[in-house]
Amino acid sequence: MIQVIGKVFNIMELLRDNQKLSLGLLAKRSGIHKSTLCNLLRTMTALGYIDNDGNGNYSISEKFKQLAMPLPQEKLLQNQCLHFCKSLADYTQESGVITTIRHNELSILAQAQYPRSLMLSMTIYENLSLYHSVSGRIILAFLTQPELDGIVKHYGYPGDKWNHIVNDDQLEEACRELRTAKISIMSNAVDGIKAFAMPIFDDQNKVCGAAGLTVPIFRLDDKKEKDILQALRECVCGLTLKNISLNLNCKTWRLL
């Protein structure tokens, strides 16, 4: 562990719990030598993360508090995703989810379920993976090559999780098929479900995330599937247009 970082967070935790502390009390409670503590506090104050009231008392600054608050755009994004996800679930009378990729993992931004006598458990959306989910695959298909290379470097090739892919050529072929179709579909006969996902873009045509639906196979017929595909198209088109009007882009979605 890097000791100086541990000391900084020790100071922040003490100030969080006590609001304001003098140099002496901070030194006593943290166990940090006063000369070291002075240097740390001077740096943290200069950076704007600690306030000094001029009388030798220190407290956490508003700047630091804001770091823990959701960004305005993030809150706006979450509200939009929840709105469209609920509309998708209500229209199809099934369970919907909106996802993105963050820190090399598939992240759920919103999920919704239509109330009915027989519903899918929302646990189906737990532990979604990039390789073994329709949402993950359709997002991967539209990543830039360096981004996709980064995923492979992090996880390796999909292997059994996706068409037994074990090299770059096979991965590119699978991604190209999804880019052409602009939809990812997967059936699970064991669980009796079928899942669908389509990509969401920003004004630069960069992939932001995906909207997905999971449906029990016994409720599917040609008309139902056609309605689902139409609902998904309307959902992703609506979110893409909202991205443009609200100035939300792939960086907002993916926190790049």
Side-chain angles (χ1 to χ4, degrees), residues 163-177:
N163 295 356
H164 305 286
I165 295 170
V166 293
N167 59 50
D168 289 338
D169 290 341
Q170 292 173 343
L171 182 58
E172 170 53 27
E173 182 181 356
C175 287
R176 185 168 58 249
E177 290 177 358

Side-chain angles (χ1 to χ4, degrees), residues 38-167:
C38 281
N39 288 332
L40 290 173
L41 289 171
R42 189 178 300 116
T43 300
M44 295 162 73
T45 301
L47 291 172
Y49 296 124
I50 292 291
D51 285 336
N52 184 340
D53 67 0
N55 296 314
N57 296 310
Y58 296 89
S59 61
I60 292 176
S61 70
E62 284 301 315
K63 178 180 178 179
F64 186 84
K65 292 175 184 177
Q66 289 299 317
L67 290 177
M69 299 293 289
L71 295 173
Q73 281 193 314
E74 172 74 1
K75 188 64 176 177
L76 183 60
L77 172 62
Q78 290 175 349
N79 288 339
Q80 291 303 316
C81 287
L82 185 58
H83 169 75
F84 277 90
C85 196
K86 285 182 176 179
S87 297
L88 180 63
D90 289 344
Y91 181 81
T92 61
Q93 299 186 6
E94 300 295 348
S95 60
V97 64
I98 294 176
T99 57
T100 189
I101 182 172
R102 290 181 173 179
H103 310 296
N104 290 330
E105 294 183 356
L106 196 62
S107 176
I108 295 175
L109 297 181
Q111 58 188 76
Q113 188 173 43
Y114 183 83
R116 56 190 306 162
S117 57
L118 182 57
M119 297 186 294
L120 288 175
S121 171
M122 296 304 278
T123 58
I124 59 173
Y125 295 129
E126 292 180 359
N127 302 316
L128 288 178
S129 74
L130 285 170
Y131 289 150
H132 194 56
S133 69
V134 289
S135 295
R137 292 177 184 180
I138 199 69
I139 293 172
L140 289 177
F142 286 91
L143 292 181
T144 64
Q145 192 59 53
E147 289 172 332
L148 189 57
D149 290 343
I151 296 296
V152 172
K153 183 177 180 180
H154 186 79
Y155 290 107
Y157 293 105
D160 292 341
K161 294 179 181 178
W162 184 8
N163 295 356
H164 305 286
I165 295 170
V166 293
N167 59 50

Side-chain angles (χ1 to χ4, degrees), residues 73 76-77 79-81 83-84 200-203 208 234-249 252-253:
Q73 281 193 314
L76 183 60
L77 172 62
N79 288 339
Q80 291 303 316
C81 287
H83 169 75
F84 277 90
I200 302 161
F201 299 98
D202 64 11
D203 62 342
C208 296
E234 291 177 1
C235 179
V236 299
C237 286
L239 273 168
T240 295
L241 290 174
K242 277 295 182 182
N243 281 337
I244 296 170
S245 66
L246 298 174
N247 198 30
L248 300 173
N249 55 36
T252 309
W253 280 69

Side-chain angles (χ1 to χ4, degrees), residues 186-197:
M186 188 188 304
S187 294
N188 185 330
V190 175
D191 294 330
I193 57 177
K194 191 170 183 179
F196 309 81

